[in-house]
Amino acid sequence: GCGICVHKCPFNAITIVNLPEQLEEDCVHRYGINSFVLYRLPVVKEGMVVGVLGPNGTGKTTAVKILSGQLLPNLCSDNDSWDAVIKAFRGNELQNYFEKLKNREIKPVVKPQYVDLIPKAVKGKVRDLLKKADESGKFEEIVKELELENVLDRDIEQLSGGELQRVAIAAALLRDAHFYFFDEPSSYLDIRQRLRIAKTIRKLAESGKNVLTVEHDLAILDYISDIIHIVYGKPGVYGVFSHPKGTRNGINEFLEGYLHDENIRFRPFEIRFTKRSERKSQEGEILVQYPKLVKDYGTFRLEAEGGELYVGEVVGVVGPNGIGKTTFVKMLAGVEKPTEGEVNWSLTVSYKPQYIKTDYEGTVYDLLSKIDAGKLMSNFYKSELLNPLGIPDLYDRQVNELSGGELQRVAITACLLRDADIYLLDEPSAHLDVEQRLAVSKAIRSLMAKNEKTALIVEHDVMMVDYLSDRLIVFEGEPGRHGRALPPMGMREGMNRFLSGVGITFRRDPDTGRPRANKEGSVKDREQKEIGEYYYV
Ligand code: ADP
Ligand code: ADP
Ligand code: MG
């Protein structure tokens, strides 16, 4: 077999994976000759949330499709019956599961990964959709918990990404099923909404249901899961489900790049989070002092305090959905005109919008070379941006055929290739896996520092905000009604301001330095709230 496989990892390093010898026996599904192969499956456990953590393209959604009965696994041969699947899993915890699935004794429900596709398939009002899904009689309760009261009478096609996500999660929760699969439930949600859905999903498991969730926001995965599986392999080629692991250890093993039980190193280096020293406010060269800006839409009013931006810094922009972050960024980008105040600087801006349009006809290479063909050839851009984001592998692909995560990486690259003084990126982590999020963060930091430019990044993933930002602009107010942007402030002050508004505290994992959300009401949570330190203790 394949004793040692060498392949590229997202950071463009070489990863050596010693594939276990017995893996061929554990082959679950092969899409076709020279197509993706999936080895092993996750366990499903009553009363537990099983989390799944792994790169894009390693078969997580494929596993969800198999376990929910949407895809009959071919066992990497010509199998076409569930009986053979049951036989193949004899002695495994899944044997019984597949038997029941075949006999239709259990009902699985799936919250699909791409909620953006829902409006194409389902028409009508939110209320009607959810009423139809309500087999459990929990309509009122779920609508309240997911804060959907205000969108019940809206058409599905009018919903924002975050609203669509919560409607899709609600529709799954309302079903009366045995197994619930949530494929990437946090996309488009803000941190408070992420924790809310995490709590609701946990409650479902605590009521005795089986839950499996794929999640790339590590803080949320950590918070939601009882146990986790790591998926490793080569994206698009093969993926292997690890043994189940305790959540904290599993996430740490993932960051370490090494599976202890299996004795497999799947990444040649460890991912560590280090606390950076705070930027001293008078240090460095000021790029610009921007004025107070107001935008009044009638139904929504944003007041953004003025502030200064420094050369070479990355400023995180945080706050709930619907509070005016995108509106603020659009005013700085010159896309939206302020009602009061004026952005009359001579600075050039490069802007990546939150929702990326895909009507471009041509390849990725066409698109990027039109922006700056020279930079595509430069060793600096290759090593700092293009290779870490895996862009050269996408050069020949048609832009309008890219997956969500691929398109996101191309859009980020396009934004960062342009010559500008200020780079504005609205929610760059959407659809990206953990390693891609870190690769993007690293690329942004290093390009700003080395090119002496400035970036503003709107972001909900706390790990990414922490990894990326020198300072923070915090938004406060009442979502959908009025918002206020504070001037940029230091990380500690900013995180405290932001997290106290959400009512959640974080600590650092002692081994990896990653941020971990404290359980509400735990000793740590109470202690930190008492001293007003919501972060970095
Ligand atoms: P993940 O959820 O981990 O991102 P998926 O299970 O969606 O991964 O996909 C794993 C791999 O299988 C990808 O490379 C994808 O292109 C491939 N794949 C998915 N569906 C099919 C299909 N119907 N036919 C061929 N290849 C597929
Ligand atoms: P965020 O980026 O923080 O989620 P946005 O800036 O996108 O928030 O939106 C803030 C509020 O302004 C929302 O209630 C949104 O519906 C409203 N809004 C955004 N654009 C417009 C517009 N062009 N006309 C009217 N209201 C708008
Ligand atoms: Mg997937």
Side-chain angles (χ1 to χ4, degrees):
C2 171
I4 296 177
C5 294
V6 178
H7 64 76
K8 265 194 287 174
C9 85
F11 286 79
N12 196 38
I14 299 295
T15 301
I16 298 169
V17 174
N18 294 306
L19 282 176
E21 278 173 10
Q22 69 277 23
L23 211 54
E24 281 309 315
E25 289 170 24
D26 294 347
C27 197
V28 175
H29 189 72
R30 185 191 294 276
Y31 277 113
I33 297 170
N34 293 328
S35 292
F36 178 81
V37 192
L38 177 66
Y39 299 96
R40 299 188 179 145
L41 287 170
V43 298
V44 274
K45 280 199 193 293
E46 198 166 295
M48 277 200 179
V49 179
V50 178
V52 175
L53 169 58
N56 281 333
T58 53
K60 300 181 300 299
T61 297
T62 302
V64 167
K65 286 190 174 151
I66 291 170
L67 290 171
S68 61
Q70 295 172 55
L71 174 68
L72 172 66
N74 57 23
L75 303 173
C76 303
S77 63
D78 52 4
N79 171 56
D80 59 5
S81 81
W82 285 104
D83 286 322
V85 175
I86 294 163
K87 216 171 130 201
F89 280 87
R90 203 159 38 199
N92 184 298
E93 287 172 278
L94 286 174
Q95 177 185 2
N96 194 251
Y97 177 84
F98 282 125
E99 260 166 22
K100 287 186 177 162
L101 191 66
K102 182 202 148 200
N103 298 332
R104 298 183 187 280
E105 287 165 22
I106 51 174
K107 199 174 100 184
V109 168
V110 179
K111 197 295 291 176
Q113 175 177 4
Y114 290 109
V115 294
D116 325 48
L117 301 179
I118 294 172
K120 292 199 181 108
V122 191
K123 305 279 174 216
K125 301 259 186 258
V126 172
R127 184 189 302 277
D128 299 331
L129 170 83
L130 294 183
K131 280 281 183 200
K132 230 173 93 189
D134 187 16
E135 299 162 345
S136 59
K138 294 192 294 190
F139 180 89
E140 304 290 333
E141 182 189 334
I142 296 290
V143 163
K144 188 157 176 271
E145 273 177 32
L146 299 189
E147 301 179 309
L148 289 169
E149 294 99 334
N150 294 333
V151 300
L152 285 177
D153 294 311
R154 297 251 288 277
D155 269 330
I156 288 157
E157 57 189 9
Q158 292 171 350
L159 301 180
S160 70
E163 289 162 346
L164 211 44
Q165 182 72 268
R166 284 177 290 134
V167 168
I169 292 170
L173 289 166
L174 285 170
R175 297 270 174 199
D176 185 19
H178 303 87
F179 288 85
Y180 294 80
F181 298 94
F182 295 93
D183 202 348
E184 304 191 16
S186 80
S187 307
Y188 304 118
L189 300 184
D190 64 38
I191 174 91
R192 203 179 53 87
Q193 294 167 335
R194 286 176 193 203
L195 285 162
R196 254 189 127 92
I197 60 120
K199 278 183 198 160
T200 309
I201 290 173
R202 284 212 55 77
K203 232 169 70 182
L204 184 71
E206 280 154 17
S207 75
K209 306 291 190 182
N210 302 259
V211 179
L212 187 134
T213 172
V214 177
E215 182 52 57
H216 294 303
D217 181 326
L218 275 190
I220 298 303
L221 182 78
D222 192 15
Y223 193 82
I224 204 172
S225 314
D226 292 298
I227 55 173
I228 69 162
H229 285 272
I230 292 163
V231 191
Y232 62 94
K234 183 176 178 182
V237 180
Y238 73 95
V240 188
F241 272 85
S242 78
H243 301 159
K245 294 165 192 293
T247 303
R248 175 177 176 265
N249 278 347
I251 293 178
N252 286 358
E253 286 184 23
F254 171 79
L255 294 174
E256 207 182 320
Y258 178 67
L259 304 175
H260 292 236
D261 277 5
E262 289 99 327
N263 188 25
I264 287 171
R265 173 157 288 288
F266 60 92
R267 197 190 314 112
F269 57 90
E270 210 174 314
I271 297 168
R272 280 194 149 273
F273 296 83
T274 46
K275 188 177 164 183
R276 274 193 307 278
S277 54
E278 294 258 325
R279 168 182 279 275
K280 306 275 180 298
S281 48
Q282 274 88 355
E283 253 172 42
E285 185 190 336
I286 290 182
L287 172 76
V288 70
Q289 225 139 14
Y290 61 90
K292 177 174 172 164
L293 300 169
V294 174
K295 182 75 199 185
D296 202 332
Y297 284 125
T299 46
F300 176 85
R301 180 180 167 91
L302 170 69
E303 290 190 16
E305 305 284 331
E308 72 299 329
L309 298 172
Y310 289 86
V311 172
E313 76 171 340
V314 180
V315 179
V317 177
V318 296
N321 276 334
I323 202 78
K325 302 182 300 298
T326 294
T327 303
F328 175 65
V329 164
K330 279 184 177 167
M331 289 194 290
L332 295 184
V335 176
E336 197 74 68
K337 217 177 130 32
T339 316
E340 289 168 36
E342 202 183 344
V343 183
N344 60 349
W345 56 30
S346 54
L347 303 172
T348 51
V349 173
S350 179
Y351 169 50
K352 185 206 78 75
Q354 175 175 8
Y355 299 105
I356 309 160
K357 281 200 282 299
T358 53
D359 47 13
Y360 185 83
E361 304 232 354
T363 65
V364 170
Y365 188 83
D366 293 339
L367 177 89
L368 296 178
S369 64
K370 275 196 195 114
I371 295 168
D372 196 329
K375 288 198 187 115
L376 296 185
M377 310 309 285
S378 110
N379 285 332
F380 176 73
Y381 277 90
K382 278 185 197 164
S383 69
E384 301 297 319
L385 177 66
L386 302 167
N387 292 341
L389 269 62
I391 297 300
D393 291 342
L394 302 175
Y395 277 162
D396 295 334
R397 301 272 302 280
Q398 293 294 316
V399 172
N400 54 23
E401 288 172 8
L402 297 175
S403 74
E406 290 164 344
L407 187 64
Q408 183 71 269
R409 285 182 283 139
V410 169
I412 292 169
T413 303
C415 173
L416 294 172
L417 281 176
R418 285 189 203 103
D419 283 320
D421 302 302
I422 301 185
Y423 293 85
L424 305 171
L425 291 96
D426 201 344
E427 303 200 20
S429 77
H431 305 305
L432 299 187
D433 64 39
V434 174
E435 292 181 348
Q436 290 166 343
R437 288 174 193 209
L438 293 168
V440 165
S441 305
K442 238 175 134 170
I444 294 172
R445 285 196 64 79
S446 108
L447 286 179
M448 295 311 128
K450 291 178 183 160
N451 289 344
E452 302 190 324
K453 304 294 183 188
T454 303
L456 263 64
I457 319 285
V458 179
E459 187 50 61
H460 292 301
D461 180 327
V462 169
M463 175 198 76
M464 194 160 162
V465 170
D466 180 59
Y467 195 82
L468 185 76
S469 320
D470 295 304
R471 294 195 301 156
L472 293 179
I473 294 177
V474 180
F475 277 67
E476 298 177 339
E478 199 183 329
R481 293 182 167 276
H482 55 88
R484 177 162 164 251
L486 304 175
M489 51 179 87
M491 284 303 287
R492 178 183 183 138
E493 190 189 355
M495 275 296 192
N496 277 335
R497 189 91 189 214
F498 169 51
L499 293 176
S500 62
V502 190
I504 101 165
T505 58
F506 277 84
R507 66 187 184 285
R508 281 189 185 279
D509 183 81
D511 293 334
T512 58
R514 71 186 161 93
R516 300 192 75 195
N518 291 318
K519 296 256 144 81
E520 203 180 331
S522 66
V523 175
K524 276 231 153 59
D525 182 57
R526 280 182 285 133
E527 278 173 5
Q528 287 182 223
K529 279 178 178 163
E530 215 152 274
I531 56 170
E533 294 289 355
Y534 285 74
Y535 208 63
Y536 288 162
V537 171

